[in-house]
């Protein structure tokens, strides 16, 4: 088998509609758009967990956060689980990890004692099985801002960088490629933090000039109608996305310069999206008002492009898929069949339409700030929440209640909640049963769901 090199390049908090190939009217992502034209674009890709740590834990383990225990931020990755990095090294791949890790600290920030590597070097035993090239920080937004900061290398040495953060993180990936000798196929992960907001500044920090460059922005309809802080933050947000695109372009250029582009598969996606403080304002959320942690498309729908090898020709997959399938898919690219050891499906099989009976729906868990579950079909989104449960304290509940139901056929921006509309009683009953089946299959229990 001619094994391909694999690049897994993912952003943090990037909506799909920031990309031209997903409808963005401004020239924000020409390189990513070109990658989509060469490869396969998944039109309807969704995150299974719209929180940084839990989603990253899933990317590394191929298991739901309710299985690994990593159901909120600040829970470290268990050491007894075989990870993606372990599988890839076992398969003979040279591994490299660059950027944000967010899986090596345990306990809330205001607790003591706690295991805290948020701003210190991550010990080798907490790197998820990656033993090769390493340029990472556990919580990159704590060790850097939009400009300047530091990460640590595989020998725990502090590596300071000067310049725009996304450029510097990408430079470290290029450094790995420059030194690559070709003796083994490589698996390179680039985990960018852009376009995540900078926590301590409460601001999306685009490169200097972003506000002028993208002053003619057009807000997506959900953000235009619902408000939040998008009108103020969107130019910088697009600037961050443009910087990611430019860096993807630089990485592709380096692969071509090295003569290995044709033998490399590239995956581009994000951990989750952003609803710009528009969705989580309900009383049952205890007043939490944030950018994600909801089942709406704004939080869950992400770009997903796979290019190289069998994924070529500019194909567009309309079926709904979950990025929970990426670990299994990456291993399939490496010639490793993990079977039922990981959740999800091999997305290469979805591209080839191998299963005519495939369920065209996705499932997501939310368990930080709130506890909720949702199921998304081509026509509907149905979500439930756990009343009187403090999200972050527990991952699940025995009792849920209707949260929202949207009819995507008439309400594509999810603006009109019809969960209590009697005209949708039959549809809601069907979706509720689908959701219960998901929960039972994934979590091994069948909770009670009450009407709102």
């Amino acid at each position: 088998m001619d094994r391909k090199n694999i690049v897994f390049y993912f952003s943090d908090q990037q909506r799909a509609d920031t990309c031209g190939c997903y409808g963005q009217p401004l020239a924000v992502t020409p390189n990513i758009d070109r990658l989509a034209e060469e490869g396969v674009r998944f039109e309807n890709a969704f995150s299974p967990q719209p929180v940084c740590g839990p989603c990253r834990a899933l990317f590394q383990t191929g298991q739901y956060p309710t299985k690994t225990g990593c159901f909120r931020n600040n829970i470290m990755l268990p050491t007894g689980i075989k990870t993606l990095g372990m599988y890839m090294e076992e398969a003979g791949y040279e591994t490299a990890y660059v950027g944000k890790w967010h899986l090596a600290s345990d306990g809330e920030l205001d607790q003591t004692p706690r295991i805290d590597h948020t701003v210190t070097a991550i010990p080798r035993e907490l790197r998820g099985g990656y033993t090769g090239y390493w340029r990472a920080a556990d919580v990159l937004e704590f060790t850097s801002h939009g400009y300047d900061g530091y990460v640590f290398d595989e020998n725990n040495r502090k590596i300071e960088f000067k310049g725009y953060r996304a450029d510097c993180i990408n430079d470290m990936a290029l450094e790995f490629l420059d030194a690559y000798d070709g003796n083994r196929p490589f698996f390179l992960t680039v985990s960018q933090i852009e376009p995540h907001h900078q926590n301590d500044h409460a601001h999306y920090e685009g490169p200097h000039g972003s506000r002028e460059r993208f002053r003619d922005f057009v807000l997506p309809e959900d953000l235009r109608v619902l408000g939040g802080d998008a009108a103020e933050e969107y130019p910088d947000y697009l600037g961050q996305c443009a910087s990611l695109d430019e860096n993807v372009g630089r990485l592709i250029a380096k692969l071509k310069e090295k003569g290995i582009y044709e033998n490399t598969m590239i995956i581009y996606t994000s951990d989750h999206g952003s609803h710009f403080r528009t969705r989580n304002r309900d009383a049952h959320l205890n007043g939490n008002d944030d950018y994600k942690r909801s089942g709406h498309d704004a939080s869950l729908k992400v770009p997903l492009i796979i290019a190289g090898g069998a994924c070529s020709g500019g194909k567009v997959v309309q079926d709904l898929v979950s990025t929970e399938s990426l670990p299994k898919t990456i291993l399939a690219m490496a010639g490793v069949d993990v079977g039922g050891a990981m959740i999800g499906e091999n997305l290469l099989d979805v591209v080839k339409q191998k299963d005519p009976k495939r369920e065209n729906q996705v499932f997501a868990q939310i368990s930080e700030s709130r506890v909720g579950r949702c199921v998304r079909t081509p026509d509907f989104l149905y979500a439930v929440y756990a009343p009187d449960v403090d999200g972050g304290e527990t991952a699940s509940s025995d009792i849920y209640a209707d949260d929202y139901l949207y009819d995507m056929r008439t309400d594509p921006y999810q603006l009109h909640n019809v969960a209590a509309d009697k005209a949708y009683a039959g549809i809601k009953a069907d979706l509720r049963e689908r959701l219960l089946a998901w929960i039972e299959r994934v979590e091994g229990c069948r909770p009670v769901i009450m009407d709102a």
Side-chain angles (χ1 to χ4, degrees), residues 71-72 75 108 367-371 389-395:
F71 62 90
R72 58 163 171 79
I75 298 179
E108 289 304 309
S367 47
E368 182 175 283
S369 298
R370 70 191 322 186
V371 173
V389 173
D390 185 8
E393 295 299 322
T394 182

Side-chain angles (χ1 to χ4, degrees), residues 213-280:
R213 181 179 177 186
F214 297 110
R215 64 179 179 272
D216 296 326
F217 68 90
V218 179
L219 283 180
E221 185 67 5
D222 61 315
L223 301 182
R224 187 190 70 80
V225 172
L226 297 174
D229 62 1
E232 173 64 23
E233 295 292 330
Y234 215 65
D236 277 292
Y237 184 71
L238 291 180
Q240 291 177 297
C241 294
S243 75
L244 293 172
D245 180 79
E246 291 158 7
N247 282 300
V248 168
R250 291 202 299 133
L251 186 139
I252 290 172
K254 178 61 68 175
L255 292 170
K256 290 180 177 178
E257 175 191 314
K258 295 280 291 186
I260 55 177
Y261 180 68
E262 298 301 326
N263 196 43
T264 301
M265 297 194 73
I266 301 174
I267 301 167
Y268 185 87
T269 191
S270 189
D271 58 352
H272 52 75
S274 176
H275 61 67
F276 285 86
R277 301 182 186 271
T278 59
R279 295 293 188 176
N280 290 349

Side-chain angles (χ1 to χ4, degrees), residues 3-56:
R3 295 188 299 170
K4 303 286 187 182
N5 303 310
I6 301 169
V7 175
F8 181 28
Y9 204 114
F10 68 95
S11 59
D12 191 328
Q13 213 162 291
Q14 184 178 10
R15 293 169 62 110
D17 54 19
T18 57
C19 300
C21 55
Y22 288 94
Q24 170 58 231
L26 300 181
V28 178
T29 58
N31 293 295
I32 292 171
D33 298 343
R34 193 155 42 246
L35 194 67
E37 291 172 0
E38 294 180 9
V40 174
R41 177 170 64 86
F42 294 82
E43 175 65 23
N44 294 292
F46 296 86
S47 171
Q49 244 286 2
V51 183
C52 298
C55 189
R56 281 165 176 71

Side-chain angles (χ1 to χ4, degrees), residues 83-252:
T83 63
L84 177 61
M86 293 174 185
Y87 276 107
M88 293 299 285
E89 293 202 354
E90 189 178 87
Y93 272 73
E94 181 176 352
T95 61
Y97 193 100
V98 178
K100 177 176 175 176
W101 181 242
H102 213 165
L103 294 171
S105 299
D106 214 47
E108 289 304 309
L109 298 179
D110 58 356
Q111 290 179 346
T112 53
R114 65 187 297 265
I115 298 172
D116 184 7
H117 297 291
T118 53
V119 297
T120 59
I122 301 167
R124 177 172 290 227
E125 65 270 19
L126 299 182
R127 297 178 195 167
Y130 293 91
T131 66
Y133 184 90
W134 180 268
R135 299 289 184 277
D138 194 34
V139 186
L140 187 57
E141 59 266 46
F142 286 11
T143 68
S144 61
H145 289 92
Y147 282 85
D148 307 340
Y150 62 90
V151 296
F152 297 90
D153 72 4
E154 59 272 9
N155 298 309
N156 297 330
R157 292 176 300 198
K158 188 177 189 179
I159 307 294
E160 296 188 4
F161 58 83
K162 295 288 185 182
Y164 191 63
R165 179 170 51 198
D167 299 341
C168 296
I169 294 300
N170 201 75
D171 284 344
M172 296 174 196
L174 301 186
E175 179 185 318
F176 165 76
L177 292 176
D178 275 328
Y180 175 64
D181 59 15
N183 289 333
R184 292 184 291 159
F186 67 78
F187 173 49
L188 166 63
T189 299
V190 184
S191 172
Q192 293 273 20
I193 189 174
E194 275 69 31
H196 195 289
H197 64 289
Q198 186 63 37
N199 300 54
D200 59 339
H201 292 172
H203 174 53
Y204 285 90
E205 297 189 340
H208 297 321
S210 293
R211 300 193 69 78
E212 294 74 26
R213 181 179 177 186
F214 297 110
R215 64 179 179 272
D216 296 326
F217 68 90
V218 179
L219 283 180
E221 185 67 5
D222 61 315
L223 301 182
R224 187 190 70 80
V225 172
L226 297 174
D229 62 1
E232 173 64 23
E233 295 292 330
Y234 215 65
D236 277 292
Y237 184 71
L238 291 180
Q240 291 177 297
C241 294
S243 75
L244 293 172
D245 180 79
E246 291 158 7
N247 282 300
V248 168
R250 291 202 299 133
L251 186 139
I252 290 172

